[in-house]
Amino acid sequence: MKLEVDPEFASLIPPLTAEEYMQLEANIVAEGCRDPVVAWGSIVIDGHNRLRICTKHDISYQVVQRDFEGRDDALVYIIRNQFGRRNLSSGNRCLLALKLEPLYRLKAKENQQQSLGRGKKGVQKSAHLFPTGKTRENLAKIAGVSHNTMDKVKQIVEQGTPEQVDRIKRGGKGDNITAVFREVRAAADPVPDSQNPLI
């Protein structure tokens, strides 16, 4: 079976730096592909870089199949999998979690309608992926931050510049979420920090 790269799924994964990619390529060429490529049917779920490198160098690799109820469940798996495998900045973690916001809101609405219509029988099999509760609190929990931090990142995304969003992806001194948030707030509404409840 020929594997396919789904552009939406691939875009969910923060790209490796050039140095990280070169190191991964060197490791695979020297040692072979130790980690399997995860697929859902013919669609790659995890291992896009490994697949590209193995194809380029004609290196064999193992494929492990995962079963999902639909694209939404696959998308949640991809994002959650990134948290466990890569050293991501808090900003990157929040940005990944925010990609789940539309799904969480939709699932919350569906669960509410099902509860009103059919009681507990309406709960879907994928309820473990979309726990009940407030969306913002669930997203913050996934990202491993407070909901206050998640709110700051959301405002940076909505009101900041692409350069400011890139800075919170990198993190570090002067590029942390709070520092960038203060810049965004100062540009949007020059209210003293002491009067802003998020700071």
Side-chain angles (χ1 to χ4, degrees):
M1 173 189 307
K2 183 174 180 182
L3 296 179
E4 310 166 38
V5 173
D6 183 291
E8 181 189 11
F9 290 163
S11 72
L12 296 172
I13 301 167
L16 296 175
T17 64
E19 185 178 326
E20 288 170 333
Y21 188 89
M22 286 171 53
Q23 183 62 58
L24 178 63
E25 186 171 22
N27 290 347
I28 290 175
V29 168
E31 303 169 16
C33 189
R34 292 181 294 181
D35 295 320
V37 174
V38 180
W40 175 36
S42 64
I43 300 172
V44 177
I45 297 296
D46 179 57
H48 297 84
N49 293 311
R50 294 191 298 279
L51 176 63
R52 187 179 308 116
I53 292 166
C54 288
T55 302
K56 174 183 173 183
H57 295 282
D58 198 26
I59 296 171
S60 63
Y61 56 90
Q62 180 185 3
V63 177
V64 173
Q65 288 287 334
R66 294 266 331 204
D67 189 31
F68 299 101
E69 291 180 39
R71 285 185 68 85
D72 291 351
D73 291 351
L75 187 146
V76 172
Y77 172 86
I78 291 167
I79 290 176
R80 287 188 168 182
N81 193 42
Q82 291 306 300
F83 292 145
R85 300 193 61 184
R86 297 202 30 209
N87 186 17
L88 301 173
S89 68
S90 295
N92 238 332
R93 294 174 71 84
C94 291
L95 292 169
L96 275 173
L98 281 173
K99 290 183 180 186
L100 295 174
E101 186 175 30
L103 284 177
Y104 268 76
R105 291 198 185 285
L106 178 65
K107 295 295 182 182
K109 189 174 183 179
E110 286 176 2
N111 288 341
Q112 184 181 33
Q113 289 172 344
Q114 288 175 349
S115 294
L116 292 173
R118 292 182 282 166
K120 292 184 180 177
K121 292 180 183 176
V123 177
Q124 296 180 355
K125 292 179 189 175
S126 60
H128 66 287
L129 294 174
F130 301 98
T132 58
K134 293 184 178 179
T135 297
R136 71 180 221 167
E137 291 174 2
N138 283 327
L139 296 178
K141 186 174 182 182
I142 290 169
V145 300
S146 69
H147 60 79
N148 189 30
T149 298
M150 185 63 73
D151 288 344
K152 289 178 181 179
V153 171
K154 190 168 181 182
Q155 284 193 37
I156 292 168
V157 170
E158 291 172 351
Q159 300 171 11
T161 65
E163 185 265 338
Q164 287 170 319
V165 173
D166 284 342
R167 286 172 55 204
I168 65 167
K169 286 180 184 178
R170 290 190 306 267
K173 188 173 181 182
D175 292 330
N176 63 53
I177 293 167
T178 300
V180 175
F181 174 75
R182 285 184 175 147
E183 290 176 18
V184 171
R185 291 298 298 149
D189 182 20
V191 174
D193 287 352
S194 61
Q195 295 178 25
N196 192 322
L198 288 177
I199 295 179

